[in-house]
Amino acid sequence: MLLHVELEHDEPVAGLEVTAFPFDAEAILDSLEAAAAEPRPAFPELERQLAAYRSPEDDRLSEASRPWLALYDSVSRLADSLNTMDRRTQTYARMYERFRQLYGRLQQRAAERDRALEELRGEDVALARRAQAAAESVRVWERAAFEPYAELHRAALDSSGRAVALQTTDDHGEAHLELAAGDWWIVARLTDPDNPFQEYYWSVHLRTTGWLPLRVPLFERNRLRRWRH
């Protein structure tokens, strides 16, 4: 199967990690959210402001946030990988230790970013701080609501009889995946290049015979743009 990732103006996306799940991970998360003891924290007005945000001509805010954002992406990708692994293996233990170290560095980078932001003034800084506070409250809720996810993930993998597949797009925005016959959900996410508070998210369902080649496009028209928290 050939995946092709492209944004507007036919610009290919290189270096994007794409994951193929043999089950609908979003459906599991939706069921856990529906069963949660407390509703997910909601910030409709803040999310509207974040969606409408555009980086100012003075790019100091982006410069101050860039090291944190880069490490945040690494931590997020590693966390996604850990969710696909058997926790009883030595490989999981090594990767989890790496995740713990990176998470500690992420906290340090966040402190460095906050100190840099102290030198800035204006609506951008206020918006960034509101977004950080809101995002932390959502993450606290997710840690409780999604705690059973790892167990449900393993059960779904066992039921499918298949493994999660990962691949990274090349310079042409393409990734090749060998997938067994059955239903798959192709998942990827990418920071909006024009808005550090937003990300593009794809979750594309497909059914493959396992022997016929497929070309799966991930374009502007089939992605979701959402708050990156």
Side-chain angles (χ1 to χ4, degrees):
M1 183 187 72
L2 175 64
L3 290 170
H4 181 75
V5 186
E6 185 177 286
L7 295 184
E8 55 188 347
H9 309 305
D10 299 327
E11 179 182 353
V13 179
L16 179 67
E17 186 173 277
V18 180
T19 307
F21 290 93
F23 60 89
D24 188 351
E26 286 293 326
I28 295 178
L29 294 175
D30 288 344
S31 67
L32 291 175
E33 180 169 352
E38 300 290 339
R40 175 190 290 271
F43 307 92
E45 177 59 23
L46 174 61
E47 290 194 48
R48 184 193 65 77
Q49 294 177 29
L50 295 175
Y53 177 82
R54 289 296 179 270
S55 297
E57 293 182 4
D58 184 344
D59 62 358
R60 290 177 297 167
L61 179 63
S62 296
E63 288 295 330
S65 301
R66 185 170 291 116
W68 176 82
L69 289 172
L71 189 56
Y72 175 87
D73 286 338
S74 297
V75 170
S76 297
R77 287 194 296 268
L78 185 54
D80 289 342
S81 297
L82 285 170
N83 283 335
T84 70
M85 298 177 62
D86 187 338
R87 297 188 178 192
R88 297 165 293 183
T89 65
Q90 292 183 352
T91 300
Y92 180 91
R94 289 195 298 270
M95 290 184 65
Y96 183 81
E97 177 60 22
R98 174 64 174 163
F99 171 80
R100 190 185 64 80
Q101 294 172 355
L102 285 178
Y103 193 80
R105 287 174 54 194
L106 181 64
Q107 292 177 315
Q108 293 176 354
R109 289 282 176 85
E112 294 169 359
R113 175 205 57 198
D114 290 344
R115 286 194 294 271
L117 291 178
E118 288 294 338
E119 301 176 1
L120 305 178
R121 293 293 183 270
E123 296 180 358
D124 289 333
V125 176
L127 183 62
R129 287 175 175 163
R130 289 171 57 206
Q132 291 162 18
E136 181 57 29
S137 70
V138 172
R139 287 193 288 268
V140 169
W141 178 88
E142 288 179 341
R143 283 194 289 270
F146 295 160
E147 192 275 336
Y149 177 80
E151 181 178 350
L152 295 174
H153 178 110
R154 288 195 297 272
L157 278 180
D158 292 342
S159 178
S160 73
R162 290 169 283 158
V164 174
L166 296 92
Q167 189 56 270
T168 302
T169 57
D170 59 20
D171 290 342
H172 302 290
E174 296 181 345
H176 295 263
L177 288 169
E178 296 291 335
L179 301 179
D183 289 297
W184 293 88
W185 283 261
I186 309 302
V187 176
R189 60 185 181 188
L190 173 71
T191 302
D192 183 341
D194 297 319
N195 187 334
F197 299 115
Q198 299 284 293
E199 69 178 5
Y200 297 145
Y201 177 77
W202 290 273
S203 181
V204 179
H205 173 243
L206 62 89
R207 181 170 296 168
T208 176
T209 63
W211 56 276
L212 284 177
L214 291 175
R215 181 179 175 88
V216 182
L218 302 184
F219 291 163
E220 289 269 334
R221 61 180 175 270
N222 65 350
R223 53 81 173 162
L224 174 68
R225 186 171 179 264
R226 65 183 188 181
W227 178 24
R228 182 172 177 266
H229 60 270

